[in-house]
Amino acid sequence: YYKDGRKEGVVFYVSDDGKHGKIISLVEAKKLWATDAVRLTTTGSLSKTDGKQNMSKIKEEPNWSNNYPAFAWCNSLGDGWYLPSLNELRLVYDNEGVINDALHKLGKAKLKEYYYWSSTGDTGSYRGSAYYVHFDYGYGDDDYVYKNYNFYVRAVSDF
């Protein structure tokens, strides 16, 4: 558990020096990655490792807070929160048991056996798609699907 007066969450990654890391939000929502109006837009949010970079790409889009609901929800949690990249979300999945134990002890909703959006979009013939991770106990697959699906969203932040 991490709390610094500005934000709180469950730690899912700690740097080698033990001074920095990443937390996942205590709350979640079910949101579209993008609305139908912009789902085919190539946003540049292509990083599989850096969700913060993907978030900054989305914020460059016109009317981003209305057109990209999953990103807007993460941003609404406060400064520094963002939609995790595919690899960050995989790391959350890899630590699902520990995270769920901490969420349960805090009286918060556990991660669900369902699909969670990453901030990693796709281009080419799949430009209307983005990556997700299916949090299915014992089998957390990832793939891409159309951006206008309602999947769960958990924000992450650095500390």
Side-chain angles (χ1 to χ4, degrees):
Y1 175 69
Y2 176 87
K3 183 176 182 178
D4 71 358
R6 290 185 4 226
K7 57 188 167 188
E8 61 182 316
V10 174
V11 176
F12 70 93
Y13 169 78
V14 178
S15 63
D16 289 338
D17 65 7
K19 296 179 181 179
H20 305 284
K22 295 182 185 286
I23 58 174
I24 189 163
S25 62
L26 300 178
V27 294
E28 66 183 20
K30 213 169 184 184
K31 298 287 181 184
L32 305 174
W33 198 97
T35 62
D36 284 335
V38 296
R39 115 179 140 72
L40 295 177
T41 302
T42 300
T43 61
S45 62
L46 304 175
S47 177
K48 290 185 178 182
T49 59
D50 190 346
K52 198 182 308 183
Q53 178 185 11
N54 290 339
M55 183 78 151
S56 69
K57 293 289 187 185
I58 292 295
K59 285 183 169 184
E60 293 172 4
E61 295 295 315
N63 201 18
W64 76 270
S65 61
N66 289 321
N67 288 327
Y68 300 94
F71 292 87
W73 182 84
C74 292
N75 191 69
S76 76
L77 296 182
D79 189 40
W81 289 101
Y82 60 91
L83 189 61
S85 69
L86 177 60
N87 289 354
E88 288 169 323
L89 192 55
R90 292 280 321 160
L91 192 55
V92 169
Y93 175 78
D94 291 343
N95 291 286
E96 180 181 20
V98 174
I99 292 168
N100 276 340
D101 287 347
L103 289 168
H104 178 73
K105 287 176 184 171
L106 294 165
K108 303 296 182 181
K110 295 181 186 181
L111 296 165
K112 295 185 178 37
E113 289 187 43
Y114 201 74
Y115 305 97
Y116 283 83
W117 278 125
S118 82
S119 63
T120 308
D122 201 11
T123 60
S125 59
Y126 301 104
R127 69 187 172 109
S129 301
Y131 285 90
Y132 66 86
V133 174
H134 185 196
F135 278 60
D136 185 8
Y137 298 111
Y139 185 72
D141 65 336
D142 60 70
D143 205 347
Y144 48 86
V145 70
Y146 291 124
K147 296 173 184 174
N148 58 342
Y149 283 23
N150 252 331
F151 287 169
Y152 282 102
V153 177
R154 286 265 180 168
V156 299
S157 187
D158 297 326
F159 68 86

